[in-house]
Amino acid sequence: MRSSPAAHRGSDWRRPGALLAEGWRIVAADRDAGALATLEGRGAANLRTVDRDVTDEAAVERAVGEIDETFGPPRGVVNSAGIGREVPFLETAPELFRLIYEINGVGSFIVSRAAQGASRAPS
């Protein structure tokens, strides 16, 4: 079995579903527990869900630690966490832009860095 932490949300289940079919173990993370509930049961023993905010460094570090303890060191990461709002540019408040950037940009960085650090840690 292979291990791969994955941040996944939304209706596009094709890639994670294909990875599960190939024998990968997947951990789906989202700060929305309701979104995670829609995934449960799809991958049986090879899919775990964790309620985490990708912008919270400590929470991501804990999640990656739990992945390491459950599945072993991560061998890959899929960053698909992201949000968007259909607001015209001139009507976009700086607070909204910061939220989008924090989740889409900084959150992806935090998850990638934590997963890479765990995969390089000595056993």
Side-chain angles (χ1 to χ4, degrees), residues 90-113:
L90 293 176
E91 296 175 25
T92 302
E95 295 79 18
L96 175 58
F97 181 81
R98 284 184 186 101
L99 176 65
I100 292 169
Y101 184 77
E102 192 68 20
I103 292 171
N104 298 0
V106 177
S108 293
F109 166 77
I110 290 170
V111 170
S112 295
R113 189 180 75 181

Side-chain angles (χ1 to χ4, degrees), residues 2 4 15 19 21 24 28 33 48 51 56 59 68 97 103 111:
R2 303 174 191 154
S4 175
R15 187 61 186 148
L19 291 172
W24 287 85
R48 299 281 189 278
D51 184 2
D56 181 338
D68 190 34
F97 181 81
I103 292 171
V111 170

Side-chain angles (χ1 to χ4, degrees), residues 20-67:
L20 286 169
E22 292 174 15
W24 287 85
R25 295 176 180 164
I26 293 180
V27 177
D30 199 310
R31 64 184 188 171
D32 179 353
L36 291 172
T38 65
L39 298 178
E40 292 174 356
R42 288 188 167 181
N46 289 339
L47 174 68
R48 299 281 189 278
T49 60
V50 292
D51 184 2
R52 294 293 194 286
D53 179 349
V54 296
T55 66
D56 181 338
E57 291 176 63
V60 170
E61 290 288 341
R62 284 192 307 275
V64 171
E66 293 167 12
I67 291 166

